[in-house]
């Protein structure tokens, strides 16, 4: 039976070891399904085989259905049919899991009769993040193995769990330190003593208490902000509990197909592809990244300490430079605070161990061993230029130098460097150790190797990175400025901040543009507007209300008032002072306020995003419309399930 590919079968006495071998992630495409089908049929016919081990070669067990097949007609054997065949086999199958068992991969493991996993293996049904529900028995089998509450958590929210957690909830029967050895021993035990005697398995079991479906639905609706797949998943699980297997599987498949062929899944699959493509911009060519083992950060404020935290969490030693001891101590305290929070969320094992690889200094000479230094000082060109002069004097000539500027002209900064080819922008988003997005900014002089190092760093930090060219605001902030301006026009013409924020929330943003400004503080964009005042197009409409708010001391939540009032420091309420300023502006500008429906508000906001997106593309600031979507979704709260503004432009819903 050897030689079947992408599935191979070896006989180890009475045990058959079936290996999935479809790099890079053993996705269950047609060829793999057919080969596994054939292997299962041959094994079932062989009475000498007493147990089967199913393993994945390479990085993991199986990442699920092959996503690239979803746009084409399904080809036999369907995954659900294959899994039905394995579940019904007389010979017990043991799934041996490492790396990842996701989506159809976990459904395959659930169709097996027992499961063993490495403690760090990722097990999950992440279909909702592709706008889908499990379509190969997951909504039927998982609740009957781990109970309804756990199954709802895994299926409706789509977040994977570790092998260790899976053992705690009974999803796997055993954990393995040494998977090949432990799986073989377990399979031999099953072959000798029988499945039930070894695993204590009583087959599928249903949770005794059905949950409060109403409460689950309400929470899900709130957390998923307009996405439909999670709610369909919940309904499918609920309906499935009252159905026999064949009917439950049929209703699951029907719901799966409807979602697969719908707009939401197309949008989410677009982002899955776009996020991966963004990490390979054409400008890299064949350039290889430089090795990075020691890093430096200049500036210990919110951004600098967040960047230092992100670097430490990814395993890089960090030297943080501040201008004096007191600022260095404050920066170190912020880093410790961030790491403590990460530890309490289980993201890192030990703050103290990471702090052993962290030091602060007020002397740039401490950066001598660093191969990558990221500057995150105050947004002032002269201050940044002085920092880079010092970096050139103290860093090794091959060290990569990066600026975290959000707005300043990196081409002008590059022109002040002796070696501009090693400068790039690394625009992190606050909090830098949490936000997924990184804009990797290429100046006119950035070498491909420097750019490649930026992308390699992004990968190591677990970020989604997008290449951007130099302009005021790069991709994301430039689009944000454009739609914020549009929101101010809508406000000036008659809508209230609450009307506009409600429209954005209704569309799926976590918060509206005015609430967001109050949260981050109005003074930053005020300073930017003042900087741009001399060069602003005087023909363009300008709304001064935000300036008046700052000049009246209304900086946002921190002053208990900005666009809104915050009597308790956090809950926005309509602010009479703001309303008076808006009324004053309308009066002075001779505007008779009109009413705006939510759809009209969102239509104008989207058009502003898309218009600016087109300009950015035309100027080569972004490589593709897909890159713009990746930025808006990962850095600016654009609802993921809608695919991004440029996707919506190209794929209008009827
Ligand atoms: C499903 O299973 C439905 C079933 O319930 C029912 C069916 C009837 N298919 O992310 P990476 C590619 S829905 C095809 O860069 P990492 C990926 O495009 C599926 N290709 O690496 C990339 O290729 P390229 C449910 C896939 O280590 C390469 O593999 N499953 C698939 O950062 C490496 O990927 C999921 O939602 C796939 N399923 O992360 C899992 N998966 O280099 C989706 C990956 O050419 N996948 N590729 O761009 C993931 O979450 C991550 O890719 C994974 C690896 C964690 C596996």
């Amino acid at each position: 039976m050897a030689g079947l590919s992408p599935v191979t079968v070896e006989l180890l006495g009475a045990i058959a070891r079936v290996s999935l071998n479809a790099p890079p992630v053993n996705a269950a495409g047609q060829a793999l399904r057919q080969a596994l089908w054939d292997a299962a049929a041959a094994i079932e016919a062989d009475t000498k085989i007493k147990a089967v081990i199913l393993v994945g070669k390479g990085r993991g067990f199986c990442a699920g259905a092959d996503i690239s097949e979803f746009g084409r007609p399904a080809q036999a054997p369907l995954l659900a049919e294959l899994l039905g065949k394995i579940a019904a086999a007389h010979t017990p199958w043991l799934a041996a899991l490492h790396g990842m068992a996701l989506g159809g991969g976990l459904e395959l493991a659930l169709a097996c009769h027992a499961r063993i996993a490495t403690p760090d293996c990722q097990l999950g049904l992440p279909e909702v993040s592709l706008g889908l529900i499990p379509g190969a028995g997951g909504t039927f089998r998982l609740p009957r193995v781990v109970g309804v509450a756990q199954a709802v958590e895994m299926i409706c929210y789509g977040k994977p769990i570790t092998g260790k957690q899976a053992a705690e909830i009974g999803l796997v029967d055993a954990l393995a330190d040494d998977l090949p050895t432990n799986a073989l021993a377990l399979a031999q035990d099953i072959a000798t003593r029988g499945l039930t005697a070894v695993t204590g398995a009583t087959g599928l079991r249903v949770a005794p208490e059905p949950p409060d479906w109403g409460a689950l639905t309400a929470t899900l609706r709130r957390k998923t902000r307009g996405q439909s797949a999670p709610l369909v998943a919940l309904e499918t699980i609920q309906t499935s509990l009252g159905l026999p297997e064949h009917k439950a599987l049929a209703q699951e498949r029907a719901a799966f197909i409807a979602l697969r062929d719908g707009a939401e899944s197309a949008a989410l699959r677009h982002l899955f592809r776009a996020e991966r493509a963004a990490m390979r911009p054409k400008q890299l060519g064949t350039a290889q990244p430089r090795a990075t083992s020691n890093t430096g950060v200049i500036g210990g404020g919110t951004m600098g300490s967040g960047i230092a935290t992100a670097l430490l969490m990814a395993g890089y030693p960090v030297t943080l430079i501040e201008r004096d001891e007191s600022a260095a101590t404050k920066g170190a305290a912020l880093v410790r605070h961030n790491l403590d929070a990460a530890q309490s969320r289980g993201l890192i094992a030990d703050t103290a161990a990471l702090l052993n690889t962290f030091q602060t200094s007020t002397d740039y000479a401490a950066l001598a061993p660093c191969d990558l230094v990221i500057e995150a000082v105050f947004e002032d060109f002269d201050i940044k230029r002085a920092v880079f002069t010092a970096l050139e004097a103290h860093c090794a000539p091959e060290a990569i130098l990066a600026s975290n500027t959000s707005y300043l002209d990196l081409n002008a900064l590059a022109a002040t460097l002796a070696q501009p080819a090693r400068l790039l922008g690394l625009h992190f988003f606050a909090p830098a150790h949490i936000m997924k997005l990184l804009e990797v900014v290429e100046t006119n002089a950035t070498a491909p190797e420097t750019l490649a190092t930026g992308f390699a760093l992004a990968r190591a930090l677990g970020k989604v990175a997008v290449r951007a060219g130099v302009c005021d605001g790069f991709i994301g902030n430039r689009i944000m400025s454009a739609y914020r301006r549009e929101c101010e026009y809508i406000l000036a013409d008659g809508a209230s901040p609450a009307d506009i924020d409600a429209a954005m929330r209704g569309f799926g943003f976590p918060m509206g543009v005015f609430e967001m400004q109050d949260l981050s503080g109005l003074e930053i964009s005020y300073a930017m507007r003042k900087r741009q005042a001399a060069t602003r197009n005087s023909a363009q409409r300008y709304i001064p209300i935000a300036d008046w708010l700052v000049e009246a001391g209304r900086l946002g939540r921190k002053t208990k008032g900005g666009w809104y009032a915050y009597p308790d420091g956090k809950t926005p309420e309509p602010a009479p002072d703001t309303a008076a300023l808006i009324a004053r502006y309308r009066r002075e500008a001779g505007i008779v306020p009109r009413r705006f429906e939510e759809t009209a508000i969102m239509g104008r906001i989207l058009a502003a995003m898309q218009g600016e997106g087109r300009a950015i593309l035309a100027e080569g600031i972004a490589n593709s419309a897909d890159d713009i979507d990746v930025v808006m979704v990962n850095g600016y709260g654009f609802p993921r399930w809608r695919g991004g503004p440029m996707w919506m432009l190209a794929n209008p819903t009827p």
Side-chain angles (χ1 to χ4, degrees), residues 24-25 27 59 63-67 103-104 107 126-127 130 134-135 272 276 280:
V25 291
R59 291 165 55 178
D66 185 340
I67 295 167
E107 292 175 296
E127 282 87 344
L130 293 170
F272 182 87
R276 281 153 185 83
R280 294 185 288 255

Side-chain angles (χ1 to χ4, degrees), residues 367-440:
L367 297 172
C370 294
D371 357 77
L372 172 77
V373 180
I374 305 170
E375 159 284 309
V377 301
F378 190 66
E379 285 282 84
D380 177 284
F381 189 82
D382 292 334
I383 296 176
K384 292 205 192 265
R385 186 175 50 190
V387 165
F388 280 93
T389 303
L391 289 178
E392 286 211 301
H394 289 94
C395 294
E398 62 281 0
I400 302 286
L401 306 180
S403 171
N404 176 56
T405 183
S406 327
Y407 288 100
L408 297 181
D409 184 347
L410 280 171
N411 282 328
L413 193 63
T416 69
L417 263 63
Q419 282 181 267
R422 61 165 162 165
L423 176 78
L424 82 166
L426 289 177
H427 180 216
F428 288 82
F429 290 74
H433 57 298
I434 294 174
M435 291 289 283
K436 284 287 268 182
L437 181 64
L438 183 67
E439 284 179 321
V440 181

Side-chain angles (χ1 to χ4, degrees), residues 545 548-549 575-588:
I545 302 169
W548 294 350
L549 285 171
D577 290 3
T578 303
L581 290 179
I582 297 170
R584 178 185 136 196
Y585 171 77
R586 289 177 185 152
R587 210 171 39 247
E588 288 175 2

Side-chain angles (χ1 to χ4, degrees), residues 88 135 140 142 148 187 207 269 279 302 340 448 529 562 573 585 625 644 647:
F140 177 78
L142 189 62
V148 178
R269 285 179 350 239
M279 301 291 276
T302 309
D340 281 341
R529 288 193 299 275
E573 286 185 11
Y585 171 77
W647 172 263

Side-chain angles (χ1 to χ4, degrees), residues 260-623:
R260 185 198 63 190
D261 298 343
E264 181 176 305
S265 180
L268 287 164
R269 285 179 350 239
H270 145 71
L271 284 169
F272 182 87
R273 285 187 297 271
E275 284 170 352
R276 281 153 185 83
M279 301 291 276
R280 294 185 288 255
K282 59 182 180 204
Q283 288 81 359
L284 294 187
T286 56
Q288 291 302 309
R290 289 201 192 155
T292 306
S293 47
N294 252 301
T295 64
V297 175
I298 317 297
T302 309
M303 275 321 286
S305 60
I307 294 169
T309 308
L311 291 165
L312 288 166
M313 287 173 68
Y316 293 101
V318 177
T319 299
L320 177 75
I321 302 286
E322 258 295 1
R323 60 186 183 285
D324 56 42
E325 286 301 337
S326 138
T329 308
K330 277 193 198 135
L334 284 173
V335 170
R336 175 186 287 278
H337 171 82
N338 292 342
L339 290 176
D340 281 341
Q343 185 176 341
S344 64
R345 292 172 57 210
L347 298 175
I348 54 168
D350 187 4
T351 294
L354 292 187
L355 286 176
N356 283 337
T357 63
F358 174 67
Q359 60 166 346
T360 60
S361 178
T362 54
D363 185 353
Y364 278 70
L367 297 172
C370 294
D371 357 77
L372 172 77
V373 180
I374 305 170
E375 159 284 309
V377 301
F378 190 66
E379 285 282 84
D380 177 284
F381 189 82
D382 292 334
I383 296 176
K384 292 205 192 265
R385 186 175 50 190
V387 165
F388 280 93
T389 303
L391 289 178
E392 286 211 301
H394 289 94
C395 294
E398 62 281 0
I400 302 286
L401 306 180
S403 171
N404 176 56
T405 183
S406 327
Y407 288 100
L408 297 181
D409 184 347
L410 280 171
N411 282 328
L413 193 63
T416 69
L417 263 63
Q419 282 181 267
R422 61 165 162 165
L423 176 78
L424 82 166
L426 289 177
H427 180 216
F428 288 82
F429 290 74
H433 57 298
I434 294 174
M435 291 289 283
K436 284 287 268 182
L437 181 64
L438 183 67
E439 284 179 321
V440 181
V441 187
E442 183 189 21
T443 73
N444 292 335
T446 304
E449 188 189 18
T450 304
L451 202 63
T453 309
F455 277 90
L457 178 80
R459 227 175 259 283
L461 300 185
K463 306 262 183 230
V464 175
V466 176
R467 177 256 165 214
V470 175
C471 69
D472 204 334
F474 312 126
I475 300 175
N477 279 347
R478 183 164 151 185
I479 292 182
M480 187 173 74
S481 293
Y483 79 77
R484 195 161 60 196
R485 196 166 50 236
E486 189 65 25
C487 288
E488 290 182 1
Y489 295 162
I490 304 169
L491 177 89
D493 292 344
S496 69
D499 291 337
I500 296 168
D501 286 349
M504 290 184 74
R505 281 180 184 274
F507 182 80
F509 279 89
M511 60 170 70
V513 71
F514 295 106
E515 298 164 278
M516 195 175 63
Q517 289 179 55
D518 275 357
L519 186 63
S520 50
L522 271 62
E523 72 282 8
I524 300 166
S525 44
Y526 177 80
M528 192 185 76
R529 288 193 299 275
K530 294 287 149 198
R531 205 178 60 235
Q532 292 170 335
T535 52
R536 185 175 300 121
N537 175 0
S538 56
Q540 190 174 53
R541 192 178 173 197
Y542 185 80
I543 312 293
I545 302 169
D547 295 344
W548 294 350
L549 285 171
V550 173
E551 284 152 15
R554 299 184 67 85
L555 305 185
R557 271 201 211 187
K558 65 180 115 178
T559 56
K560 295 207 170 178
W563 289 106
Y564 295 93
Y566 298 88
D568 65 358
K570 59 178 195 295
T571 318
E573 286 185 11
D577 290 3
T578 303
L581 290 179
I582 297 170
R584 178 185 136 196
Y585 171 77
R586 289 177 185 152
R587 210 171 39 247
E588 288 175 2
I591 293 169
V592 180
R594 38 193 188 98
R595 254 185 69 76
F596 286 88
E597 299 298 333
E598 285 200 357
T599 46
I601 292 173
M602 272 322 300
R604 279 182 58 172
I605 292 175
L606 278 174
M609 287 180 177
Q610 291 158 345
E612 199 64 27
R614 276 195 289 232
I616 282 171
L617 275 176
E619 293 167 31
I621 299 299
N623 277 351

